[in-house]
Amino acid sequence: MSSDHNPFTGYAGRVATQDGLYSQSEVGLANRNSGILLETLALDVTPTGLHYLLTHFDVPLIDEASHRLHFTGAFETPFDLDLDEIRALPQVTQPVTLECAGNGRSGVSPRSHSMPWTYEAVGTSEWTGTPLRPLIERAGPKSDAVEIAFFGADYGFDKGVGHYFGRSLTLAQLAELDVLLVHAMNGQPLLPQHGAPLRLIVPGWYGMASVKWLGRIEALTAPFDGFQQVRTYRFRESDDDPGRPVTRMRVKSLMVPPGVPDWTSRKRYLRPGPVTLVGRAWSGGGVPVSKVEVELDGAWREARLDPQGARYAWTRWSCDWTATPGAHVLRCRATDADGQVQPLDPPWDVAGFANNAAQKVPVFVDET
Amino acid sequence: MSSDHNPFTGYAGRVATQDGLYSQSEVGLANRNSGILLETLALDVTPTGLHYLLTHFDVPLIDEASHRLHFTGAFETPFDLDLDEIRALPQVTQPVTLECAGNGRSGVSPRSHSMPWTYEAVGTSEWTGTPLRPLIERAGPKSDAVEIAFFGADYGFDKGVGHYFGRSLTLAQLAELDVLLVHAMNGQPLLPQHGAPLRLIVPGWYGMASVKWLGRIEALTAPFDGFQQVRTYRFRESDDDPGRPVTRMRVKSLMVPPGVPDWTSRKRYLRPGPVTLVGRAWSGGGVPVSKVEVELDGAWREARLDPQGARYAWTRWSCDWTATPGAHVLRCRATDADGQVQPLDPPWDVAGFANNAAQKVPVFVDET
């Protein structure tokens, strides 16, 4: 735990991390941020409004008509674009699955004091915009440029450091990634909370790279040292580990919890007999999912995979089960084409990033 | 606390209520249900996707084309309607402010084990549909009918009782309330999570009355005894109190937290100098807000009220303040035209319903 009691750190009200008990400020974050409802994993596209939202600071309310995107810094020919100019560029629409890097944090012990996601920080939307690469080429990074940084209009404090949310990608990463400059989601203009009027979508990476409320793209001659790049979103073994950056999503799968729920516990109840389990699986970097297995009554069984659709969107899977009376814990785990497999237990990380452990769904099967 | 340890009650994992510490299942509910982001109180209409969502069971995914609304029970001329028929009836669009009856629950001590809302379970949307009353008149309640019950397609368990979500209104209440049968929200077809394809909107009442995924309207010759009518949504002084039903919203106000936030604590920081505080106020039953006061440096000052707009929508207020260095706790409280005033401390209720205590916003004013 931090020993820093500067009132600006936000740690003043921190309680000792304890499995299964949460502080008021963690519940405040859970009330503020929102995730998918797992039953909507049945749908290819997450309904607008159910895509997960992790908002570090406040949602800026931006006047689209006067908003400009500035290309600045170490570019040969810096320029600005307004929204009409961006919409007049070549447009693409593609479904992309995004997951928050902190998804699964509450399953990592000891738990880091941040947004206590369980499984729900994921979603798939149809994003519309223009590819970023031609615009970077048009601005022309100078010969000594090494990274491009992206800044949002959202400002606030984290651990005492005031900053606009900003992230960078190296020129090599930009050459490889299919980054989009996005102004619409599911066929509608971006909603304020999803980055209106303009945001980045970085397919295949965790969500922190997809900067919202984008206003400035800056070419840098040294690696970006912004808070969100170097102080967080890093895998760390211990508090004094400088860490490695969080980048591509890890392979993961989730299932629609079968049966019907209890209101407060969310425990699932179903009748004995045949049931088809369905869910979604995805991996990072555009790597396809090659296998999904479901643990049923102690044995792992291979699920059916629907044909892979869009490169960066999740894949639907299904598996038949004959539910027998009693308590069961269902699990699912995916393998991707690179041979990466979901672990059964949460991988350790100080901040609980990228927990892709197999989902557990307890169900009670009863005749009544 | 309940002594019932039936595994179907969902109370098995319940921890003792303790102020400021929350159980895993409460965090599970906070992750699943979602509220407004308070900064969007600056807007007349809550952005789609940020209207609060309290989903007792799972979101049913309903095929609109085959969905029918059934008028059944003690009606003289029962009938069915499909969505096309409903859209062909006289249409109205109106902004309505809805608040969850459980909003503010986490401020009530001891805290009831349920969704731990702080302030965010409120929103205002533009709802489009047809008035319900002419349809009830067309069906014609029989002379011995006393209530009309409304049933959703959402099914689950609460305290061991399996049921479809259902609520009723008396004939006298229906004669007085401007209930709408709604199929669109903010100019778009209802989203699955907001009750698609059809829901009730009961303006002026807490949200439990606005039944989602509506499929059946039944005339009853005895008071409705469904779980959501008689076992919950009641004000109770103690566990053995049969209670009084929760109905109209209580007078309430909220402010946009000024300044900028710290990520985890959500504490607010701002610079010294003039700042205009803005917020929203509303009451139940279509009663207008008559006054909003803001507590600034120990004194209550009257805020400016914008002209009252639509009858059932919140009213904007604003108040100027000169922020001086140091820590401050800002509060706001509203009074309605019936003379009802928000209390400074949470009103007691076993389940933490209808906590309309004045919002507290701690802010730190600093030169840097």
Side-chain angles (χ1 to χ4, degrees), chain B residues 39 51 116 132 140 162 204 298 368:
Chain B
E39 60 270 32
H51 191 287
L132 177 68
T368 56

Side-chain angles (χ1 to χ4, degrees), chain A residues 7-10 12 20-25 27 29-32 34-35 37 39 43 47-50 53-59 61 113-118 120 155-158 188 191-193 260-269, chain B residues 7-10 12 20-25 27 29-32 34-35 37 39 43 47-50 53-59 61 113-118 120 155-158 188 191-193 260-269:
Chain A
F8 277 82
T9 63
L21 280 184
Y22 294 81
S23 67
Q24 179 72 56
S25 67
V27 168
L29 290 172
N31 279 345
R32 197 175 148 77
S34 61
L37 300 176
E39 60 270 31
L43 303 170
T48 298
L50 286 184
L53 276 175
L54 190 287
T55 313
H56 286 78
F57 305 131
D58 284 3
V59 168
L61 300 172
H113 181 269
S114 184
M115 171 64 207
W117 295 119
T118 40
E120 58 286 306
Y155 184 92
F157 290 89
D158 195 347
Q188 302 284 332
L191 290 159
Q193 68 271 27
V260 297
D262 170 75
W263 152 231
T264 52
S265 69
R266 308 312 298 174
K267 285 177 184 161
R268 313 296 305 190
Y269 301 100
Chain B
F8 277 82
T9 63
L21 280 183
Y22 294 80
S23 67
Q24 180 70 56
S25 67
V27 168
L29 290 172
N31 280 343
R32 197 175 148 77
S34 60
L37 300 176
E39 60 270 32
L43 302 170
T48 298
L50 286 185
L53 276 176
L54 191 286
T55 313
H56 286 78
F57 306 131
D58 285 3
V59 169
L61 300 171
H113 181 270
S114 184
M115 171 63 206
W117 295 119
T118 39
E120 59 286 306
Y155 184 92
F157 289 88
D158 194 348
Q188 303 283 333
L191 289 159
Q193 68 270 28
V260 297
D262 171 74
W263 153 231
T264 51
S265 70
R266 306 313 299 174
K267 286 176 184 163
R268 314 294 306 190
Y269 301 102

Side-chain angles (χ1 to χ4, degrees), chain A residues 229-249:
Chain A
Q229 193 80 17
V230 300
R231 295 283 302 274
T232 183
Y233 292 119
R234 299 182 79 84
F235 291 116
R236 294 182 297 139
E237 292 288 326
S238 60
D239 278 342
D240 55 3
D241 178 359
R244 297 165 296 112
V246 174
T247 59
R248 280 164 53 158
M249 296 186 293

Side-chain angles (χ1 to χ4, degrees), chain A:
Chain A
M1 271 193 296
S2 170
S3 59
D4 185 350
H5 289 297
N6 179 322
F8 277 82
T9 63
Y11 274 49
R14 180 169 174 167
V15 297
T17 289
Q18 192 174 343
D19 288 357
L21 280 184
Y22 294 81
S23 67
Q24 179 72 56
S25 67
E26 288 176 291
V27 168
L29 290 172
N31 279 345
R32 197 175 148 77
N33 297 290
S34 61
I36 200 171
L37 300 176
L38 293 180
E39 60 270 31
T40 65
L41 290 168
L43 303 170
D44 291 339
V45 174
T46 304
T48 298
L50 286 184
H51 191 286
Y52 88 87
L53 276 175
L54 190 287
T55 313
H56 286 78
F57 305 131
D58 284 3
V59 168
L61 300 172
I62 297 173
D63 173 36
E64 181 193 301
S66 62
H67 188 69
R68 295 189 75 79
L69 175 64
H70 302 274
F71 287 76
T72 66
F75 283 119
E76 296 291 351
T77 53
F79 60 90
D80 289 4
L81 292 172
D82 66 18
L83 266 288
D84 285 340
E85 290 167 323
I86 290 166
R87 282 186 290 247
L89 296 167
Q91 299 291 298
V92 297
T93 294
Q94 61 177 234
V96 175
T97 297
L98 285 185
E99 184 183 6
C100 182
N103 200 12
R105 174 176 289 117
S106 66
V108 179
S109 176
R111 186 179 75 251
S112 171
H113 181 269
S114 184
M115 171 64 207
W117 295 119
T118 40
Y119 297 112
E120 58 286 306
V122 65
T124 298
S125 296
E126 301 257 7
W127 302 101
T128 297
T130 191
L132 177 69
R133 207 179 296 130
L135 291 171
I136 299 291
E137 288 165 3
R138 175 174 150 197
K142 290 185 175 171
S143 59
D144 57 347
V146 293
E147 290 193 358
I148 308 291
F150 305 91
F151 295 95
D154 44 331
Y155 184 92
F157 290 89
D158 195 347
K159 296 188 172 65
V161 181
H163 61 283
Y164 287 96
F165 189 92
R167 291 278 310 178
S168 72
L169 294 166
T170 67
L171 293 176
Q173 287 164 344
L174 276 166
E176 184 185 297
L177 295 166
D178 298 318
V179 181
L180 288 180
L181 201 53
V182 160
H183 56 80
M185 176 184 180
N186 297 346
Q188 302 284 332
L190 280 179
L191 290 159
Q193 68 271 27
H194 287 291
L198 195 64
R199 67 174 297 171
L200 228 51
I201 288 291
V202 182
W205 280 40
Y206 284 110
M208 75 280 154
S210 293
V211 176
K212 294 180 289 234
W213 310 293
L214 184 68
R216 187 157 62 91
I217 294 181
E218 183 175 351
L220 303 176
T221 56
F224 181 51
D225 64 355
F227 187 95
Q228 303 289 337
Q229 193 80 17
V230 300
R231 295 283 302 274
T232 183
Y233 292 119
R234 299 182 79 84
F235 291 116
R236 294 182 297 139
E237 292 288 326
S238 60
D239 278 342
D240 55 3
D241 178 359
R244 297 165 296 112
V246 174
T247 59
R248 280 164 53 158
M249 296 186 293
R250 288 178 174 161
V251 63
K252 198 161 184 177
S253 59
L254 290 173
M255 77 174 78
V256 175
V260 297
D262 170 75
W263 152 231
T264 52
S265 69
R266 308 312 298 174
K267 285 177 184 161
R268 313 296 305 190
Y269 301 100
L270 61 162
R271 293 223 171 82
V275 53
T276 299
L277 303 168
V278 299
R280 303 279 162 173
W282 65 94
S283 190
V287 176
V289 170
S290 57
K291 185 166 69 175
V292 170
E293 298 161 287
V294 184
E295 191 185 37
L296 298 171
D297 304 320
W300 288 91
R301 191 175 328 162
E302 197 163 335
R304 294 180 297 274
L305 283 184
D306 280 10
Q308 166 83 19
R311 182 171 181 206
Y312 295 110
W314 55 26
T315 298
R316 183 179 179 277
W317 60 263
S318 58
C319 187
D320 298 324
W321 176 44
T322 301
T324 55
H328 306 259
V329 177
L330 311 177
R331 291 199 288 187
C332 57
R333 68 174 173 198
T335 301
D336 72 16
D338 284 349
Q340 299 295 313
V341 190
Q342 283 185 258
L344 299 183
D345 296 311
W348 167 241
D349 176 68
V350 167
F353 284 129
N355 174 10
N356 67 333
Q359 178 194 16
K360 287 183 192 173
V361 182
V363 302
F364 297 85
V365 180
D366 194 57
E367 295 285 354
T368 55

